[in-house]
Amino acid sequence: MRRRLRGIRPGLVVAWTVIAVVIAWAIVPWLFTGQDPLAGVPAEKLQAPSGAHLFGTDAIGRDLFTRVVHGAVHSLSGAFVAVTVGLVGGTLLGVLAGSLGGAVDAVVMRLVDVLLAIPGLLLALSIIILLGFGTVNAAIAVGVGSVAAFARLSRSEVVRVRQADYVEAAFGSGARLHAVLFRHVLPNSLTAVVGLAALQFGTAILAISTLGFLGYGAPPPTPEWGLLIAEGRNYVATSWWLTVLPGLVVVAVVLSANRISHALGRTR
Amino acid sequence: MPYLARRTGQALIVLAIAFTATFVLLQALPGDAILIKFESPELGLSPEQIADIRASYGADVPAWQQFLHTISGFVVGDFGYSVQYGTPVHELIGTALPETLVLAGLGFVVAVVLAVALAFLSTLAPFGWLRQGLRALPGVFVSVPVFWLGIVLIQVFSFQLRLVPVIGADPVQGLILPVLTLAVPISAPLAQILARSIDEVQLSPFVAVVRAKGASPARVLWRDVARNATLPAITIAGVLIGELIGGAVVTETVFGRAGIGRLTEQAVANQDVAVLQAIVVLAALVFVVVNLAVDLVYPVLDPRLKRKAVAA
């Protein structure tokens, strides 16, 4: 047990720090960099990382670190929208299926089966072709892909909690279904759902950057992380920093979100 | 066999809903690809000409007729016409499929090898820190954006080390980096499941009995642990196939390869709904069939389940 504690804590602290820094980037980017994310200095184009330009500069002389900092808000808010869509839609479906049972349960779970049968990226692309390109649409598309996971989890939680003695006692003492749901079932299912939300947050950041890379997310010159990497792609031979550094930021954020979700799952 | 019939029925229902949902979402909507392609003022087509074009694509009849027409086409393998290319969708998929099958097949094989190596090394490696490090690796693999991994591999192996040529690579050389890019994220969940079930099997009583009877560590590992630990990995085969298809979209785009992934990417860019719908329904079909096969094969591989199924 002690060994486990010693082995886990530092990693978790680093993970929370990474997430805190990135959230700060999204809220107050100007505290971290004084440069303009959109206007470049042509004379300083394609410079390697240095003291003046931590992550180097891109093809039209924009400071890459500034662009990554200002891009945080797009990735984070996109992931936030995606997780909200999945959480609200999935939990609603799951709770409905789990508490009503019968035909509703069967219909909802078949729908969930369909969502699971279509690969995540194809599902997201189908929704994007429907809604059109853009940051919010990409986020919604990614969120719909996580509805199935939330629905399955919340359904199984509801079914589990419903069988508990105190819930039976609540029904026995005359409580209505919706009262029991809000009073007992939802609060007791919450921890597991929050753990999944943290995991989906990391997945959503990955998926949104993928859609951004493919060109279906925010339009240029938005400094969205996937788009930054896509733009740096033309300079792989000469300017490695344009693709490597933004990618490392994405990896760090996703790793941290996964690490935190793991810790949340453990405390259950 | 009521079980087989029920599972097949469920699979068919899932496919039917998938088809209906994609049809309703993609085809029945007002802003369709035909309008986007032909209604732009530069073409100068008259409303009558557009109506003719719509009729030739079968888009002028009520939605329910289109639905019946499309679904009866899908059943016999006719997916309609691509608005972008004007060719039948099944021809487009037919030409793109072999490339993707080679890429995905090799990617899957490499992923399995990578996962097995990782799982066994992370339980057998000599030092604690090394085992911990190997255990953490799958977690890193799933956190890496696939498109970024591809670009970094090009950077390192083609531009820095100059091991794989960028221009003028022969087909085999051209496959090395895409296969690796596709395999790494697929191997992660497989390695995690394998490592976990190796741990579980090693703690189970029958392994202790085999050890106590004097079996060598190698015999215990390969005959008893490995055979039992690989079974649970089969259950995620369907999910992995889905990830292979998603990974192919990204990998083929990054490496500029022709294939189903590239076709998908272009279908989205050009709002070519017929192509996208066919690919989505086919992907769901593959997923459902693989899962059905896993459900049917599993009891054969694990006799304990067969006994339970008979008892139930």
Side-chain angles (χ1 to χ4, degrees), chain B residues 221-247:
Chain B
L221 180 69
W222 294 115
R223 218 192 106 69
D224 301 304
V225 175
R227 281 178 55 179
N228 282 291
T230 44
L231 273 177
I234 299 174
T235 54
I236 59 163
V239 177
L240 290 187
I241 301 280
E243 290 202 9
L244 272 175
I245 298 173

Side-chain angles (χ1 to χ4, degrees), chain B residues 181-237:
Chain B
T181 306
L182 195 55
V184 165
I186 308 280
S187 72
L190 205 54
Q192 280 168 331
I193 281 207
L194 275 176
R196 207 176 309 141
S197 70
I198 289 174
D199 283 350
E200 271 168 25
V201 174
Q202 268 186 331
L203 290 176
S204 59
F206 78 88
V207 171
V209 171
V210 176
R211 279 215 187 94
K213 282 184 166 178
S216 68
R219 194 205 113 107
V220 173
L221 180 69
W222 294 115
R223 218 192 106 69
D224 301 304
V225 175
R227 281 178 55 179
N228 282 291
T230 44
L231 273 177
I234 299 174
T235 54
I236 59 163

